[in-house]
């Protein structure tokens, strides 16, 4: 029975081009730590792939599956000298996906743990999360 269900899911995934996360969320942000990229899918179709910066040596970006918990057009980090965090989408405590002015560092680990995007890309992501709703959005952080 279990094998049959798994096979049916695999077939449906191939037919409709959807990931397992796609069945439960219309918008999925997949952050790949090893490649320093974020791939955004909407209803299982890739709509964007952007370079990001995740945690540099000595810090961590938490791995796992999350839903957005808070959205802020502009946030200032109380922990890191009121650093600006435009277009913030928080997903675990103080961890967020947000814009950065340090665009030369995108594609390399550079943050204190947040996931940094080019500010224009962060604005697009923020707008999509607001449009589909946090309940229909998943943030998946993998190695």
């Amino acid at each position: 029975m279990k094998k049959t269900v798994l096979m049916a899911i695999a077939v449906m995934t191939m037919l409709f081009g959807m990931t397992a996360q796609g069945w439960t969320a219309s918008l999925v942000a997949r952050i790949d730590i090893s490649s320093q990229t974020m791939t955004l899918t909407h209803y299982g179709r890739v709509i964007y792939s952007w370079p990001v910066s995740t945690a540099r040596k000595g810090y961590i970006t938490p791995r796992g599956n999350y839903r957005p918990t808070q959205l802020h057009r502009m946030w200032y980090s109380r922990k890191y000298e009121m650093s600006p965090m435009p277009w913030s989408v928080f997903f675990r405590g103080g961890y967020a996906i947000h814009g950065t002015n340090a665009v030369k560092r995108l594609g390399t680990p550079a943050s204190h743990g947040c996931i940094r995007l080019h500010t224009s890309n962060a604005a697009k992501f923020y707008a999509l999360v607001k449009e589909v709703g946090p309940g229909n959005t998943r943030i998946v952080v993998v190695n």
Side-chain angles (χ1 to χ4, degrees):
M1 174 70 175
K2 188 175 183 182
K3 191 174 182 180
T4 305
V5 170
L6 290 174
M7 185 60 85
I9 291 171
V11 168
M12 295 301 282
T13 299
M14 288 187 296
L15 288 174
F16 297 108
M18 296 182 74
T19 63
Q21 292 90 3
W23 291 109
T24 58
S26 63
L27 185 66
V28 178
R30 185 180 187 276
I31 297 88
D32 187 319
I33 301 291
S34 63
S35 66
Q36 293 290 294
T37 57
M38 178 169 126
T39 304
L40 200 58
T41 59
H42 191 229
Y43 291 110
R45 303 251 184 247
V46 174
I47 57 172
Y48 295 110
S49 185
W50 297 313
V52 298
S53 286
T54 60
R56 66 180 185 242
K57 189 174 181 174
Y59 297 92
I60 62 156
T61 297
R63 276 56 162 187
N65 296 297
Y66 305 96
R67 285 182 194 238
T69 56
Q70 296 179 57
L71 285 82
H72 297 278
R73 287 187 70 192
M74 178 56 83
W75 187 261
Y76 294 93
S77 171
R78 294 181 194 114
K79 189 172 183 178
Y80 296 108
E81 302 170 359
M82 299 303 285
S83 296
M85 299 166 59
W87 308 108
S88 293
V89 177
F90 286 85
F91 61 92
R92 181 179 174 210
Y95 292 97
I97 298 172
H98 64 81
T100 183
N101 291 328
V103 294
K104 290 182 180 179
R105 302 294 309 271
L106 292 174
T108 63
S111 79
H112 289 107
C114 284
I115 298 162
R116 298 179 184 174
L117 286 170
H118 191 286
T119 302
S120 63
N121 297 335
K124 289 174 190 171
F125 177 59
Y126 178 93
L128 283 166
V129 173
K130 281 200 72 117
E131 180 183 318
V132 304
N136 291 318
T137 303
R138 295 291 179 277
I139 296 168
V140 182
V141 185
V142 298
N143 282 333

